[in-house]
Amino acid sequence: MATIGLDKLFYAKITEDKDGNETYATPVQLAKAMTADLSVELAEATLYADDGASEIVKEFKSGTLSLGVDDLGGSVASDLTGAVIDSNGVVISTAEDGGDPVAVGFRAKKSNGKYRYFWLYRVKFGIPATALATKGDSITFNTPTIEGTIMRRNKVDSKGKHPWKAEVTEGDVLDPDVITNWYKTVYEPYFGASAPV
């Protein structure tokens, strides 16, 4: 079903243990969302046998997330890109900047009024693009765009796999607390017989 809206753009900082397994901080709002373009790159291989394709493997390799937002505040820019805020509150970007990966969550409104919720578990952002223009006869809004690379997370789920995305549509979830708590914590995959306690 088609989506007709996008909102509630959040991010959560990641802390890694000695093995690289992620723990997520409490999510905070990134900015007001305008656009979110998600593309995925797959690693593919085809095994040919008896003059035809015998086996085909397609696995997640990485992805790209391009976010159009209304504005990036200083603390958000610092968290996402590694820029620092000096003693005067000025955001300083350097050639050596490189922000740490974060988890990114958002939701998209569907044409039936329900929402589809997303968490991308590990996104490393680059420097935001900025377009500026002088004011002419009409007003034109110029807003930042920030692009990040989506990676699988290091921490395995209970099935021994490395998730890169969690996605659910409102009404399809068995436990309503999943939606209620979507922005309180980064969603953790659950494969038990009943809802976790």
Side-chain angles (χ1 to χ4, degrees):
M1 184 171 293
T3 58
I4 58 171
L6 173 70
D7 68 354
K8 293 203 174 247
L9 179 59
F10 279 67
Y11 75 101
K13 294 170 82 172
I14 297 173
T15 303
E16 295 182 20
D17 66 15
K18 62 180 175 37
D19 297 321
N21 293 323
E22 297 88 351
T23 303
Y24 301 100
T26 302
V28 294
Q29 188 163 17
L30 193 151
K32 290 183 179 178
M34 295 170 49
T35 60
D37 295 320
L38 173 65
S39 61
V40 175
E41 187 177 341
L42 299 176
E44 301 182 42
T46 304
L47 173 68
Y48 291 92
D50 287 339
D51 294 332
S54 174
E55 292 184 42
I56 299 173
V57 175
K58 295 185 179 198
E59 293 181 350
F60 174 80
K61 183 176 176 183
S62 67
T64 302
L65 176 65
S66 182
L67 295 174
V69 296
D70 68 332
D71 191 22
L72 283 177
S75 64
V76 172
S78 177
D79 287 345
L80 299 186
T81 68
V84 295
I85 301 172
D86 76 4
S87 300
N88 290 317
V90 177
V91 178
I92 306 297
S93 298
T94 68
E96 295 80 17
D97 288 349
D100 294 324
V102 295
V104 176
F106 51 91
R107 71 179 187 173
K109 188 173 187 178
K110 296 171 58 173
S111 57
N112 66 0
K114 295 190 177 189
Y115 286 91
R116 181 176 298 146
Y117 291 80
F118 298 85
W119 271 112
L120 302 173
Y121 286 114
R122 193 173 177 91
V123 182
K124 184 163 176 80
F125 284 100
I127 305 300
T130 305
L132 305 171
T134 190
K135 186 171 81 169
D137 290 338
S138 62
I139 297 172
T140 303
F141 289 104
N142 291 299
T143 57
T145 301
I146 188 163
E147 189 172 286
T149 300
I150 304 163
M151 302 167 280
R152 69 170 178 93
R153 73 179 189 177
N154 299 321
K155 181 179 177 183
V156 296
D157 62 20
S158 62
K159 292 189 172 197
K161 303 205 180 214
H162 299 271
W164 65 274
K165 176 177 79 165
E167 176 180 345
V168 68
T169 298
E170 190 175 23
D172 291 348
V173 67
L174 299 176
D175 180 1
D177 286 341
V178 169
I179 299 297
T180 303
N181 296 323
W182 196 259
Y183 295 106
K184 293 179 183 173
T185 61
V186 174
Y187 180 78
E188 285 291 334
Y190 178 74
F191 299 104
S194 60
V197 186

